[in-house]
Amino acid sequence: EEARYELQAMRSHCEPSDGMVSMGGKSMQIACGDALYSLPFAMHLGVGLLHGDVVGGSSGAWTAKVDHCLREYGRLVAQERERQSFKLEGTFVCVTDTLILAGELGVLDRYLSAAELVDVLARRARDMTESQTDKEFVHAARVLLMQAVISGLFSESRFIFRSDVNISWPTGYFSTHCRQGITNSNASL
């Protein structure tokens, strides 16, 4: 449901043919055409992995935690790719928490191919592992999640993080249900 409402809100601001990538704390939603997909993991998983132990109860170094988190996201993306048979191509408008990440990476309001976006994310991940003091867990989890999702599910797509499109699933919900209520009220007149 969440994906459908976010897509409804996004399409009221964008081209009807545009796909959508949405990131929240516990799940991600992806839309392409009429197909809606949900990934049952997101940023919270990565934050937990980055805070936690990497192997057998011993505290791992930051680099090991980042590597483990990226591998786990990659494993989950591969699992969902098998389960959901994604068909993703075209232009995708990135919304919700992806905009926070795009602002931090300096990629708002410009088109990026999948390869370009993965390159930006991989460079940022490398920078995070080389800096032992750069331990912003939420930012790191978002970077690693997007890197795994884009590299694992998209090939010939392009992405835009539009700063003028600030949507949420409640926006889509209310626009859908309020419009239906108005239409139903007018029908009874």
Side-chain angles (χ1 to χ4, degrees):
E1 288 293 301
E2 189 175 318
R4 185 168 56 90
Y5 292 131
E6 286 176 346
L7 182 62
Q8 173 72 28
M10 188 272 302
R11 288 204 171 140
S12 70
H13 298 284
C14 302
E15 294 296 318
S17 61
D18 286 343
M20 176 192 75
V21 176
S22 172
M23 177 196 306
K26 295 185 179 185
S27 66
M28 285 189 73
Q29 283 63 267
I30 301 170
C32 187
D34 292 331
L36 299 172
Y37 306 97
S38 185
L39 300 176
F41 54 87
M43 180 266 300
H44 287 179
L45 171 69
V47 169
L49 292 170
L50 293 167
H51 274 292
D53 295 332
V54 175
V55 180
S58 64
S59 260
W62 175 244
T63 300
K65 289 180 181 186
V66 169
D67 291 344
H68 174 69
C69 183
L70 182 58
R71 278 193 317 277
E72 183 62 13
Y73 278 140
R75 183 187 72 75
L76 292 170
V77 167
Q79 181 179 309
E80 289 303 312
R81 188 176 54 239
E82 286 282 321
R83 192 174 73 74
Q84 296 192 52
S85 302
F86 293 91
K87 291 182 174 77
L88 304 173
E89 57 186 34
T91 299
F92 289 83
V93 177
C94 299
V95 297
T96 60
D97 290 5
T98 65
L99 294 175
I100 297 167
L101 178 60
E104 294 167 347
L105 296 173
V107 296
L108 283 171
D109 299 318
R110 64 183 175 127
Y111 287 96
L112 296 167
S113 69
E116 291 168 327
L117 182 52
V118 168
D119 185 56
V120 167
L121 295 162
R123 267 187 279 130
R124 181 64 188 122
R126 256 189 321 278
D127 291 347
M128 289 184 313
T129 58
E130 290 171 3
S131 171
Q132 293 300 313
T133 59
D134 187 4
K135 296 182 183 176
E136 171 41 56
F137 295 108
V138 171
H139 173 74
R142 286 178 176 147
V143 167
L144 300 171
L145 172 62
M146 283 294 283
Q147 183 181 354
V149 168
I150 301 303
S151 66
L153 299 179
F154 298 89
S155 57
E156 299 301 318
S157 301
R158 70 180 188 152
F159 301 86
I160 184 153
F161 300 84
R162 286 184 44 184
S163 62
D164 65 329
V165 177
N166 188 6
I167 64 102
S168 64
W169 74 263
T171 306
Y173 176 85
F174 288 117
S175 72
T176 299
H177 291 285
C178 289
R179 189 175 309 128
Q180 287 175 349
I182 293 169
T183 303
N184 291 341
S185 302
N186 290 339
S188 64
L189 294 176

